[in-house]
Amino acid sequence: MRNAVRELRKKDGLRQADLAAMLGVSRQTVIAIENDRYDPSLALAIKIAGLFRMPVEEIFFPDN
C-alpha cells in the first residue's frame, strides 16, 4: 500500500519525531510507513487521517 504521509507531514512543517509523538508511535514506525515498508493498523490509519483532517482513502491507496 502506498501513502501520502511524508508529503502531508512536510506540508504541515512536522518532523518525523513530531508526528510520531502526536500519534503515540516511534519515529521508526513513521519512517517505515513513509517508506511503504509498514502498513499501519486501521486504528493508526484513522488516527493519521484525523490528524491531517482527511479521509483515510485520500492518504492510503493500494499499489496498482
Side-chain angles (χ1 to χ4, degrees):
M1 181 173 336
R2 295 180 306 127
N3 67 76
V5 174
R6 176 180 285 128
E7 294 80 11
L8 294 168
R9 174 182 62 76
K10 287 183 176 184
K11 183 180 144 229
D12 283 1
L14 297 170
R15 297 175 305 140
Q16 289 171 329
D18 299 331
L19 180 58
M22 295 167 93
L23 296 171
V25 299
S26 69
R27 183 173 159 266
Q28 288 77 17
T29 298
V30 171
I31 291 168
I33 292 170
E34 288 185 352
N35 289 323
D36 300 326
R37 289 183 291 146
Y38 174 73
D39 292 335
S41 66
L42 180 57
L44 182 55
I46 290 170
K47 206 172 193 183
I48 292 168
L51 181 72
F52 292 118
R53 295 186 173 120
M54 295 177 68
V56 171
E57 58 272 10
E58 288 185 20
I59 299 174
F60 298 94
F61 29 90
D63 292 323
N64 283 348

